[in-house]
Amino acid sequence: MGQYLLRRVLIAIPTLLVISFVIFAILDLSPSDPVGNLPLTIPAEVREKIRETLGANDPFLVKYVKWLNQFLISEPLNVIEKITGTKFPGSEERLRYLSWQTRSPIIDLILERLPQTLWVVGTAYMFAIIIAIPIGVISAYKPYSIFDQVGTFLAMIGFSVPTFFTGLIFIIIFSVNLKWFPSIYDTTHRVTDIESFWVQMRQIFMPVAVLTLFFTAQLSRFTRSAMLDNLNQDYIRTARSKGLSERRVVIRHALRNSLIPVVTLVALGIPQIFQGALITEQIFRVNGLGQLLITAVQGGDLPMVQALTFIFAVLIVVFNVIADILYALVDPRIAYH
Amino acid sequence: MKKPVLKIGALVAVLLLLTGTLGGVFAQDGETVTILYWQAVSNMNPYLSGGTKEIDAASLVLEPLARYDETATMIPWLAVEIPTVENGGISEDLMSITWKLKEGLLWSDGTPVTSADAVFTWTYCTTEETGCAQVANWTDVTNVEAVDDLTVKVSFGVPKPFPYGPFVGSTSPLIQKAQFEACVGVAAQGCTEQNFGPIGTGPYVVEEFRANDVVTYTANPNYREEGKPFFQRVILKGGGDAESAARAVLETGEADYAWNLQVLPQVLASMEAAGIGTIMNVTSSAVERIHINQTNPDPALGDARSVWAEDGSNAHPFLTNPAVYQALSMAIDRQVIAEQVYGPGGVPTCNLVAQPPIYASSANDSCLQQDMEGAKALLDEAGIVDTDGDGVRELNGVPLRILYQTSTNAVRQANQALVKQWWDELGVETELRNIDAGVFFGGDPASPDTYGKFYADVEMFTNTFDGTDPESYMAQQQCSEVSGPDNNWLGNNVSRWCNAAYDELFAQLSQTVGLEARAEIVKQLNDMYVQGGGIIPLINRADVSARANSLEGVRMNAWDAELWNIADWTRAQ
């Protein structure tokens, strides 16, 4: 197991380096311009000057090496310093990796955005798991029952109706007509006591509901089909004929086996949480990582886009490894060599 | 197994009801004003980021010596009075202007404002490595000096008939020397703390800045006017889109003010019907226009594509023909575009300079009425007719086929679709194309899709000028400004329109003193350009915003920062 893990990690490093180069190169070749969105009243020579001060005109390799250095060495040190409060030698001269749009360190911006993304997308993902697995199990246990039909119907809605539409419907019902929940998310809100927790619950309700519907649809269908496969197996019949209770048969025998693919799906979906929900964040002004990425793309803020894309790539690689490890925990028959 | 599910369902339903009903309606209080800018603010330093949203956000904190009010009149702000030749503030030879600061002005940190801060502001912005976006305000400035603690003298290298560039308007505010001293030049980019929280003289100070998200302001305890501002806190929230911002002010009442509502007019009107908010608009100097390429954009030309040649050898095969560009303009129904596409966001115009009113020419107003028959007759008379029966007219055997490009934006595409319909009816086949704004307005000389490269027959966008004096705007149509490979396609004259008489008259403008005389020349220049087929003007754009009905004192301003008088805003009882 230990050896397997080591091998996986060692393979991940060159993979990430290749990914970093590809991301950097593709984005660098894109025709977007950091000063493209400035008012036309700013003359061309001034724009050129701004581009120069941002370093947008440096040669490709210079930019790439600078980027690797800042991204893999300087910024991790900065983050460690920030978290632990210690200072490494040379922390004053270390150049920060700056966003073109805001002229501020990218890592600080990402850390600032993380809480709201985790609050909203994380909560939605958690709810989706809690809701989807029981729905999937019951649907599979009694296929084509009313419960299953309703579940299938809702899952189809969740699948096929885009979040920008459900989001809008929610706003019109709950904000415009009923005035129950705010449609604007207040990122400066701090949870300190019961009352402020309540406010937080109210403001995350709509984005969480929209996302939960979306995630639940995917997960519940997946659980249902995995369960259906297992419920028809011989070992289930054996378990029943041994006189085990239905509860035990379904949960201990069928569910446990069905969870193997579900766990993979869940683990591989976790990077999504960090990517934020691009559209849902935009609709409710949650302004988390998803919105950060969108504004960076629109503003031609290449360093920001490169940083976020690369971090997402790292997360995907890491959670792939984690999914592999979870396999072994769920199914002891799987051994690594 | 069914029962717990039901129980959970019931519990969720009850919780939902509770959370909803307990909260009640959204509070509008006398303490806080909430403003929505759907394009979020990235930085609080207007010198580093030239975007309108950053300039507006900074205007609550940083102030210039003089501002323009909503009627485009210059009013003293931090200065005692507007310097003129009559009051001796401007030297007789027009080579310098002297400003006097009000007495007793304090920065929000309690230190006095002095002329040294003004000198520093100049140094900061004109140091090349700073990458200052507003450096054009300092054109021809040779020196800024502190005569005494409250007197600033700005000297120019040439006579300046309009010397109100430096320190006037929201793009040229004072910054504090003590705060920014270490941030000049290369260091400017890294001064995050300063750029996110500049110290100013305005009614508010930055409490918290979250880039591309939200700015929280609190009232400036050292503000010069007693009892102002009325609101103790301002929240400037970004993100989302224009339509939902309008909804939050006009329908849910969650916010008090929403900026730049480029939303279909019908949608806005139905939201306003809810009765809790009001839509406001002010006409600005921005004009949506179609630029006519004077050069040949034929891909077969290779590197010579859209490159202007002084001898006219690479002229456009038909767009330089007066009958063609006049007919194209006559065929357009600007009233329909204004009503269906812009609503409160614009009125028809036939001029390059549509505002302020004193500069607007009336010589081209005939274009306000569509004249399709007249346009067809004009082309018929010029012998530009459809000879081969394919519905497209020809000039010397070249069919009138036009590629019409613009940036990607729902309003522009609706506009394009209307114009295409009319031009097709005229017998000019029109192909539409739209390009992402970041690329279209970007300056990448390698990209074939920039507006400066103009690899199309016509292209549409909006242009405008800062403040109220159009001199720099008129300069853009000179022959020396023609966009081409020698200036990396960054020249301002994207139509590649060149007329020696225009250049001569423009040279006269830059030496003319007196508003009336200047306005007369501007009108003549405008007429030469429009009648000479440089552009087809369409719409004089207006800024559209919405406010809650309970918010009073808002005076929307197109000539300065939109939030310029926020210190006077109050809440109705």
Side-chain angles (χ1 to χ4, degrees):
Chain A
M1 179 81 191
Q3 218 187 1
Y4 170 79
L5 203 61
L6 190 70
R7 209 166 57 220
R8 285 300 308 257
V9 172
L10 285 181
I11 293 173
I13 291 174
T15 313
L16 284 173
L17 271 178
V18 172
I19 293 177
S20 82
F21 184 80
V22 171
I23 289 176
F24 194 88
I26 290 180
L27 289 173
D28 199 70
L29 288 173
S30 78
S32 73
D33 183 345
V35 295
N37 284 325
L38 292 184
L40 291 177
T41 46
I42 294 175
E45 312 86 71
V46 179
R47 287 163 186 264
E48 189 55 28
K49 203 76 230 166
I50 297 176
R51 233 175 268 128
E52 241 165 65
T53 52
L54 291 173
N57 289 346
D58 290 349
F60 175 75
L61 274 179
V62 173
K63 276 197 278 192
Y64 181 60
V65 171
K66 232 177 173 174
W67 184 67
L68 275 187
N69 174 30
Q70 284 176 325
F71 209 83
L72 300 178
I73 301 164
S74 300
E75 288 300 343
L77 290 178
N78 287 327
V79 172
I80 296 169
E81 278 182 358
K82 202 168 179 168
I83 292 169
T84 59
T86 51
K87 284 259 177 258
F88 295 107
S91 81
E92 297 306 317
E93 302 96 82
R94 221 170 20 238
L95 278 179
R96 300 300 312 261
Y97 183 42
L98 297 184
S99 143
W100 284 349
Q101 221 179 8
T102 67
R103 270 90 167 170
S104 68
I106 286 175
I107 301 300
D108 295 1
L109 281 175
I110 292 176
L111 292 179
E112 189 179 277
R113 293 307 180 96
L114 212 48
Q116 47 263 37
T117 291
L118 289 185
W119 257 112
V120 172
V121 192
T123 315
Y125 205 64
M126 207 177 65
F127 274 137
I129 296 172
I130 295 173
I131 297 171
I133 293 180
I135 290 183
V137 171
I138 299 170
S139 299
Y141 187 67
K142 289 187 177 160
Y144 310 111
S145 63
I146 293 184
F147 186 93
D148 186 27
Q149 305 281 13
V150 172
T152 309
F153 178 69
L154 289 178
M156 280 306 139
I157 291 183
F159 253 130
S160 50
V161 181
T163 48
F164 62 79
F165 187 75
T166 35
L168 196 63
I169 299 278
F170 272 55
I171 288 180
I172 288 175
I173 295 176
F174 292 114
S175 291
V176 175
N177 290 326
L178 296 172
K179 297 202 191 302
W180 282 5
F181 302 108
S183 68
I184 298 174
Y185 185 95
D186 177 6
T187 41
T188 56
H189 182 71
R190 302 261 177 286
V191 177
T192 49
D193 49 19
I194 298 282
E195 203 184 325
S196 60
F197 180 73
W198 204 236
V199 173
Q200 177 68 7
M201 286 299 111
R202 289 185 63 214
Q203 72 168 350
I204 67 170
F205 176 81
M206 287 202 295
V208 165
V210 166
L211 286 173
T212 307
L213 184 69
F214 179 69
F215 290 142
T216 307
Q218 295 180 335
L219 273 179
S220 69
R221 298 314 288 167
F222 207 75
T223 315
R224 180 180 180 272
S225 63
M227 270 303 269
L228 268 183
D229 283 349
N230 279 296
L231 281 172
N232 293 327
Q233 299 280 327
D234 289 346
Y235 72 87
I236 297 291
R237 199 179 310 123
T238 314
R240 283 201 177 112
S241 63
K242 278 199 300 187
L244 293 178
S245 68
E246 269 308 286
R247 194 189 189 87
R248 214 176 149 80
V249 170
V250 172
I251 294 179
R252 285 298 298 271
H253 292 250
L255 181 59
R256 185 152 185 191
N257 276 303
S258 317
L259 277 183
I260 298 171
V262 175
V263 163
T264 323
L265 192 75
V266 169
L268 291 182
I270 288 176
Q272 275 183 31
I273 301 180
F274 290 89
Q275 287 170 26
L278 296 178
I279 293 162
T280 314
E281 283 190 2
Q282 194 77 1
I283 294 174
F284 296 102
R285 294 181 163 75
V286 176
N287 295 353
L289 291 174
Q291 190 259 3
L292 189 65
L293 181 62
I294 286 194
T295 48
V297 169
Q298 287 170 342
D301 188 354
L302 282 193
M304 178 65 85
V305 181
Q306 282 160 343
L308 284 171
T309 327
F310 186 63
I311 289 174
F312 298 155
V314 172
L315 287 172
I316 289 170
V317 171
V318 167
F319 277 95
N320 260 303
V321 176
I322 292 178
D324 282 351
I325 297 166
L326 283 178
Y327 266 153
L329 296 181
V330 181
D331 187 351
R333 284 173 307 182
I334 299 173
Y336 297 102
H337 300 289
Chain B
M1 211 171 247
K2 237 175 181 173
K3 273 184 182 165
V5 172
L6 280 178
K7 270 185 198 161
I8 293 169
L11 197 71
V12 168
V14 169
L15 267 178
L16 214 159
L17 268 170
L18 274 177
T19 31
T21 45
L22 281 182
V25 288
F26 311 110
Q28 272 185 342
D29 58 40
E31 279 281 296
T32 310
V33 61
T34 309
I35 301 170
L36 292 181
Y37 265 52
W38 56 271
Q39 289 178 352
V41 181
S42 305
N43 195 300
M44 289 293 286
N45 185 342
Y47 288 114
L48 287 190
S49 173
T52 312
K53 56 202 170 87
E54 282 81 23
I55 292 169
D56 283 1
S59 74
L60 274 65
V61 177
L62 300 173
E63 298 178 311
L65 299 186
R67 272 199 193 293
Y68 296 101
D69 70 4
E70 75 275 23
T71 62
T73 314
M74 209 184 299
I75 47 173
W77 207 253
L78 294 181
V80 179
E81 59 175 0
I82 303 291
T84 57
V85 179
E86 289 74 46
N87 67 22
I90 298 176
S91 63
E92 288 291 336
D93 59 1
L94 308 177
M95 299 285 277
S96 73
I97 179 168
T98 308
W99 294 90
K100 273 213 172 315
L101 289 166
K102 282 180 182 162
E103 266 176 63
L105 287 177
L106 293 179
W107 292 104
S108 60
D109 64 358
T111 56
V113 179
T114 68
S115 47
D117 293 308
V119 176
F120 173 77
T121 302
W122 168 65
T123 318
Y124 176 83
C125 188
T126 49
T127 301
E128 229 176 88
E129 291 77 23
T130 306
C132 177
Q134 311 298 350
V135 77
N137 285 328
W138 308 93
T139 313
D140 299 327
V141 174
T142 52
N143 192 26
V144 177
E145 57 193 307
V147 178
D148 60 47
D149 267 3
L150 297 178
T151 314
V152 193
K153 185 178 169 197
V154 182
S155 310
F156 300 96
V158 294
K160 273 272 177 188
F162 189 87
Y164 304 111
F167 305 123
V168 180
S170 56
T171 57
S172 195
L174 284 196
I175 54 175
Q176 192 192 35
K177 183 179 179 187
Q179 190 189 18
F180 279 91
E181 213 158 13
C183 298
V184 184
V186 181
Q189 310 290 329
C191 284
T192 308
E193 200 186 309
Q194 288 85 343
N195 295 335
F196 279 8
I199 293 171
T201 52
Y204 291 97
V205 292
V206 182
E207 183 185 272
E208 193 190 5
F209 180 81
R210 288 169 166 252
N212 284 344
D213 180 12
V214 60
V215 196
T216 314
Y217 305 85
T218 50
N220 175 1
N222 289 312
Y223 189 57
R224 58 187 177 277
E225 285 185 74
E226 205 57 47
K228 285 183 184 176
F230 174 85
F231 291 103
Q232 291 309 299
R233 278 165 72 80
V234 176
I235 293 170
L236 190 79
K237 171 81 178 174
D241 59 296
E243 196 171 320
S244 67
R247 187 177 297 115
V249 172
L250 298 171
E251 288 194 305
T252 72
E254 282 168 89
D256 297 301
Y257 194 99
W259 162 87
N260 192 12
L261 302 178
Q262 287 177 24
V263 181
L264 281 177
Q266 304 85 315
V267 176
L268 268 189
S270 74
M271 285 183 184
E272 195 179 24
I276 57 170
T278 309
I279 295 165
M280 305 172 291
N281 64 339
V282 283
T283 316
S284 68
S285 54
V287 170
E288 182 88 24
R289 78 288 288 283
I290 297 174
H291 279 268
I292 300 174
N293 196 343
Q294 309 290 308
T295 59
N296 194 348
D298 187 350
L301 291 173
D303 281 348
R305 200 179 174 191
S306 284
V307 175
W308 180 70
E310 206 167 348
D311 57 7
S313 56
N314 201 25
H316 195 281
F318 54 84
L319 282 175
T320 49
N321 184 308
V324 175
Y325 61 72
Q326 281 167 17
L328 289 177
S329 175
M330 286 159 79
I332 295 171
D333 191 339
R334 292 167 174 79
Q335 307 284 354
V336 168
I337 297 178
E339 274 165 33
Q340 293 189 1
V341 183
Y342 289 90
V347 290
T349 186
C350 302
N351 290 311
L352 172 72
V353 185
Q355 294 281 345
I358 184 169
Y359 294 107
S361 161
S362 56
N364 313 303
D365 286 354
S366 61
C367 92
L368 292 174
Q369 289 300 323
Q370 184 195 30
D371 182 8
M372 181 63 82
E373 291 319 308
K376 284 180 181 166
L378 188 65
L379 289 178
D380 289 344
E381 274 165 37
I384 306 168
V385 288
D386 179 14
T387 48
D388 51 10
D390 61 354
V392 182
R393 293 169 188 267
E394 284 95 23
L395 171 64
N396 304 331
V398 182
L400 269 58
R401 290 208 168 85
I402 284 180
L403 176 63
Y404 176 9
Q405 70 180 17
T406 188
S407 69
T408 309
N409 165 322
V411 172
R412 293 220 162 100
Q413 266 75 77
N415 197 338
Q416 265 186 320
L418 284 171
V419 173
K420 175 184 161 64
Q421 194 189 317
W422 292 313
W423 285 356
D424 282 344
E425 189 188 332
L426 182 67
V428 178
E429 192 180 289
T430 312
E431 186 191 338
L432 302 182
R433 177 158 190 254
N434 64 74
I435 301 158
D436 176 75
V439 176
F440 187 60
F441 295 115
D444 183 357
S447 165
D449 298 322
T450 62
Y451 78 108
K453 220 162 206 178
F454 205 169
Y455 281 175
D457 300 291
V458 296
E459 64 183 0
M460 179 171 73
F461 58 91
T462 288
N463 205 346
T464 183
F465 51 96
D466 258 342
T468 57
D469 185 73
E471 185 176 322
S472 62
Y473 186 57
M474 303 319 284
Q476 297 178 357
Q477 284 69 246
Q478 296 176 94
C479 300
S480 54
E481 291 284 334
V482 164
S483 176
D486 47 340
N487 53 22
N488 268 333
W489 310 92
L490 295 173
N492 287 311
N493 187 349
V494 291
S495 289
R496 292 115 164 96
W497 184 88
C498 175
N499 180 343
Y502 183 99
D503 287 14
E504 236 167 76
L505 189 58
F506 175 77
Q508 212 178 317
L509 174 69
S510 48
Q511 285 153 20
T512 305
V513 193
L515 193 60
E516 267 85 45
R518 290 176 68 79
E520 198 42 54
I521 296 181
V522 169
K523 283 184 196 173
Q524 286 177 28
L525 288 170
N526 171 78
D527 295 346
M528 278 167 116
Y529 187 55
V530 174
Q531 290 163 12
I535 55 164
I536 300 174
L538 296 176
I539 296 290
N540 182 191
R541 299 268 301 263
D543 297 335
V544 182
S545 294
R547 67 171 172 88
N549 286 338
S550 65
L551 191 66
E552 293 183 338
V554 178
R555 280 156 69 194
M556 221 179 134
N557 191 338
W559 309 107
D560 207 290
E562 190 171 317
L563 308 173
W564 69 296
N565 77 330
I566 193 165
D568 300 331
W569 292 10
T570 57
R571 175 85 68 200
Q573 292 307 312

